[in-house]
Amino acid sequence: MNLARLAFAYARRRPLATLLNVLLLAVGVATIALVILLARELETRLAREAAGIDLVVGAKGSPLQLILAGIYHADVPPGNVPLAAIEDLRRNPLVREVIPLALGDSFRGWRIVGTEPAFVAHYGAVPIAGALWAAPMEAVLGSEVARASGLAVGSTFTGSHGLAEGGGEHGQTPYRVVGVLAPTGFVVDRLVLTGIESVWEVHEAHHGDAADVHAEEARARRGPETAVPATAAAPTKAASPSKPPPHNGSREQAPREPAARGRVAPDAAGHDDDRDHDRNGREVTLALVGYATPLAAVALPRAINAQTALQAASPAYETARLLTVFGVGADVIRGFALLLIGASALGLFVALTQALDERRYDLAIMRALGATRSKVVGVLLLESVFLAAFGLAGGLVAAHLLAASIGSWLPAAAPLATGARVWRAEEWGVVALALAAGILATLVPAWRAYRLDVAATLADG
Amino acid sequence: MFSLRGIEHRYGASTVLDVAAWDAAPGEHWLLAGASGSGKSTLLHILAGLTTPTAGTVIVGGTDLATLTGSARDHWRGRTVGLVPQRLHLVGALDVRDNLRLAQYLAGEPDGPERIQGLLESVGIGDLGHRYPRELSQGQAQRAAVARAVVNRPALLLADEPTANLDDAHAAAALELLRAQALGAGATLVVASHDARVRSLLPHVRALPVLVEAAA
């Protein structure tokens, strides 16, 4: 026999009231903890995905949109920018790394990203099967894409226009899978990667086949349309497998290029076998930029934004802005959860106060049997903390389970499920809050138990 | 075993209890007789250290209770005094066995399952240890309460109106149970009762006069 056993016996004696109070507390705790888990996971993920990317450079428009499209692949990009302008950026001494991305197509909802091998390296991804692309129309699948689509090295697929499912098919220009990446936990797992040339090629073919449809779709989707030169002759020129990977190619070519020619100049037809020249008229969607020096943070965005064609957006700043917006909603939910916890504390208080009326004879006989005042108070306190702990544990377990299974009830938030496996420091705050609620609810009953007149109670009984 | 000197207890302006002297030797069995309002319960509570008299000295087992305060007095009571209240007050959330364990725990005595089972058998409810108080008859509950009072082998066993609401046969049995258990524990027994039937069953009698009509 000990106080805990006694407290448990009392709790068991009023199962319904006990259960209700525990449940109420558990719901409050679960709500708060779930908000914490998801918000922190979101924050962590946003920061993690953006790690190493100091700036996203793309077309003028909403900077947040540029970040969402360029880093999180969650929104359509504002538009396209001339490749030449991005190449200029490479020559800037403030810049360590520039990774151009060409967006615009997707495969069953997964985005097809035309880029350079540096993109794969940036996320620390390595091929688990096959190799990276070496020629146009070769594609490498992120692990999640490969898993869900069932495609493997050697399979072919066609992209569809636009970033969501249901766009027009680029049936004439199928991709061939040459590699599958190992899982990284980054957004790259959910992307289809290919050379920038592939995206250009697809759209040149597309333009040739169905220029009208394409233009219409592009308008409808406000969409990112990567390739500009409209010519039916284009596929032949870029298909040469002997071409070096785009990464190397662009590095080598950049210095030889004349100044940017701007986004107009669809004169590729006259230069079928002059690829270098052709690149001058090309566009990409945006570029991920890494600073060479912290000083760049001061000078570079301003310099870029001063140019007419380009906009520079800082992931750190934009995600902070995004989280502020999200934070308001989280605060509302948190406030509601606090209300629930307060209500459960009140319920506990009422239950304990009522129980004390019935139980004062028990407390009196315990005193007569040798229990000290503090022991009697201890039983009440323990019982309350006991219930609080139960509600707390139940709530925390529920929160983690809900977070773990969030994909099944909130598919858009599925990636946040990994947050369920982490214990956040703020959860200690929830622990303290629930226990404090339990103790607070006991204060008045405990004081009355402490002051109990044993002799009078026994005589009265 | 105990020695009372100049005990006086007042509620407000009215004196409810006035005992000039009362001495009991170890192992003696006493009846504390008196009508309702004579202060029998109050005197029992004074002996148990639950009530501090307005005036006077209480020495139980060689200890002057005035020297014990707060938790020291609770500890002393747990080890020295066994109390059977009139309403028994078994803890409803616990079964009979746990009621006895609770008494052991609160007195700081180590759990002794054999002691508990042996005791339950000696009061005639050896097979009811797992029953809850609400599942017991009045007689069974009283036996359980007596067992709880003597589980720590108290030097002083106090019983408040143990025969109230009992017929003759059961009253005699209740008294016999108390006497046997007091004997077994080597305890001094004090039975507070206004029941005339008890008078012939206990060798020593201390009668209290009613000092105030309808005392608190």
Side-chain angles (χ1 to χ4, degrees):
Chain A
M1 176 57 59
N2 51 48
L3 290 189
R5 203 165 146 195
L6 189 62
F8 183 68
Y10 276 120
R12 213 179 39 180
R13 200 152 176 235
R14 298 171 288 122
L16 191 65
T18 303
L19 199 73
L20 276 177
N21 283 313
V22 167
L23 239 123
L24 202 57
L25 187 65
V27 170
V29 165
T31 310
I32 285 194
L34 191 63
V35 169
I36 288 174
L37 288 177
L38 296 182
R40 285 288 161 269
E41 183 64 10
L42 180 66
E43 220 165 87
T44 311
R45 281 193 152 252
L46 288 180
R48 213 164 57 104
E49 294 281 1
I53 301 170
D54 297 312
L55 215 54
V56 178
V57 176
K60 295 266 189 224
S62 151
L64 181 57
Q65 189 188 353
L66 192 57
I67 297 293
L68 287 175
I71 295 180
Y72 306 112
H73 299 270
D75 196 359
V76 293
N80 288 333
V81 293
L83 176 63
I86 299 300
E87 300 291 3
D88 281 345
L89 207 53
R90 280 197 211 272
R91 289 189 288 273
N92 194 317
L94 292 173
V95 166
R96 171 177 48 83
E97 185 178 41
V98 172
I99 306 173
L101 305 187
L103 307 173
D105 287 350
S106 60
F107 163 61
R108 293 194 203 160
W110 292 294
R111 294 180 172 210
I112 298 173
V113 178
T115 184
E116 299 174 356
F119 183 78
V120 180
H122 173 80
Y123 291 107
V126 285
I128 201 173
L132 294 187
W133 64 93
M137 301 323 293
E138 291 185 348
V140 170
L141 306 181
S143 61
E144 174 65 21
V145 179
R147 189 190 61 75
S149 70
L151 296 185
V153 174
S155 313
T156 58
F157 65 91
T158 55
S160 45
H161 192 71
L163 295 178
E165 282 182 270
E169 289 271 319
H170 292 299
Q172 302 269 316
T173 45
Y175 285 96
R176 190 165 56 84
V177 178
V178 296
V180 172
L181 297 177
T184 60
F186 289 107
V187 69
V188 68
D189 290 352
R190 299 187 299 279
L191 298 177
V192 175
L193 305 179
T194 182
I196 295 181
E197 287 81 355
S198 310
V199 181
W200 289 334
E201 194 166 306
V202 167
H203 285 83
E204 281 156 8
H206 191 84
H207 271 262
D209 295 344
D212 294 347
V213 177
H214 197 176
E216 204 171 290
E217 279 174 6
R219 272 195 301 279
R221 291 174 189 280
R222 187 168 51 114
E225 189 181 317
T226 303
V228 158
T231 162
T236 50
K237 66 183 163 36
S240 163
S242 64
K243 283 282 177 190
H247 178 85
N248 297 333
S250 56
R251 279 267 156 90
E252 285 162 10
Q253 291 150 11
R256 283 187 275 130
E257 279 170 358
R261 288 172 52 183
R263 37 192 310 161
V264 287
D267 56 351
H271 302 275
D272 274 1
D273 48 3
D274 184 359
R275 186 171 155 77
D276 282 4
H277 185 88
D278 187 48
R279 286 179 71 93
N280 292 332
R282 299 290 193 182
E283 291 191 332
V284 294
T285 310
L286 49 84
L288 310 178
V289 174
Y291 294 151
T293 152
L295 279 178
V298 183
L300 198 58
R302 199 174 301 167
I304 291 173
N305 286 327
Q307 290 188 29
T308 47
L310 299 184
Q311 170 186 227
S314 152
Y317 179 76
E318 295 303 327
T319 52
R321 220 159 56 95
L322 183 66
L323 286 172
T324 311
V325 175
F326 175 75
V328 175
D331 282 346
V332 171
I333 300 175
R334 226 175 291 220
F336 175 66
L338 280 177
L339 208 68
L340 286 179
I341 290 183
S344 78
L346 201 67
L348 214 55
F349 166 75
V350 170
L352 284 174
T353 306
Q354 273 178 348
L356 191 69
D357 286 338
E358 301 161 15
R359 216 193 288 171
R360 63 202 163 95
Y361 300 115
D362 287 4
L363 297 178
I365 195 69
M366 282 169 63
R367 292 291 312 282
L369 289 170
T372 57
R373 286 178 197 275
S374 38
K375 238 175 202 173
V376 166
V377 168
V379 177
L380 292 178
L381 212 62
L382 208 66
E383 184 180 344
S384 176
V385 169
F386 206 53
L387 297 187
F390 251 96
L392 179 65
L396 287 177
V397 167
H400 280 261
L401 287 180
L402 282 172
S405 62
I406 190 167
S408 57
W409 50 277
L410 199 63
L416 296 182
T418 46
R421 281 180 246 134
V422 189
W423 175 266
R424 302 287 177 184
E426 288 108 315
E427 287 182 81
W428 288 118
V430 180
V431 171
L433 192 70
L435 294 184
I439 290 170
L440 263 173
T442 322
L443 283 187
V444 174
W447 176 244
R448 286 174 54 193
Y450 188 86
R451 305 266 304 170
L452 182 74
D453 184 339
V454 180
T457 307
L458 286 178
D460 158 54
Chain B
M1 198 277 148
F2 61 79
S3 169
L4 306 183
R5 288 291 177 277
I7 300 297
E8 209 182 300
H9 197 61
R10 282 193 291 268
Y11 287 113
S14 54
T15 301
V16 294
L17 190 66
D18 189 353
V19 179
W22 182 19
D23 296 283
E28 281 182 350
H29 293 178
W30 282 84
L31 168 65
L32 182 57
S36 292
S38 60
K40 300 187 300 295
S41 292
T42 303
L43 190 53
L44 279 191
H45 292 155
I46 287 173
L47 279 170
L50 288 169
T51 299
T52 303
T54 312
T57 312
V58 184
I59 295 172
V60 179
T63 304
D64 184 347
L65 296 195
T67 63
L68 295 175
T69 50
S71 55
R73 186 182 287 208
D74 293 323
H75 289 311
W76 168 86
R77 178 169 53 246
R79 287 191 305 273
T80 316
V81 181
L83 178 68
V84 184
Q86 183 176 352
R87 294 288 167 87
L88 305 179
H89 294 313
L90 292 169
V91 175
L94 302 175
D95 65 18
V96 170
R97 195 166 285 134
D98 277 346
N99 264 282
L100 268 63
R101 286 202 189 108
L102 178 65
Q104 286 184 322
Y105 165 72
L106 292 176
E109 303 284 329
D111 273 14
E114 309 82 23
R115 164 80 180 148
I116 288 176
Q117 188 52 37
L119 199 53
L120 290 181
E121 273 159 22
S122 81
V123 299
I125 52 169
D127 54 342
L128 302 180
H130 56 276
R131 289 238 186 133
Y132 283 84
R134 63 178 176 278
E135 301 165 340
L136 300 176
S137 71
Q138 175 68 20
Q140 289 166 338
Q142 189 171 52
R143 287 161 187 275
V146 171
R148 181 180 63 182
V150 298
V151 69
N152 296 317
R153 295 190 174 84
L156 180 59
L157 178 58
L158 308 173
D160 199 357
E161 300 286 1
T163 59
N165 309 320
L166 293 182
D167 60 34
D168 289 355
H170 282 101
L175 246 293
E176 185 44 41
L177 178 69
L178 281 168
R179 295 194 59 179
Q181 290 302 324
L183 213 59
T188 302
L189 173 67
V190 177
V191 174
S193 179
H194 69 279
D195 190 342
R197 296 172 298 181
V198 177
R199 204 170 268 269
S200 58
L201 299 172
L202 291 165
H204 303 279
V205 179
R206 173 83 201 190
L208 290 180
V210 176
L211 299 181
V212 179
E213 287 299 332

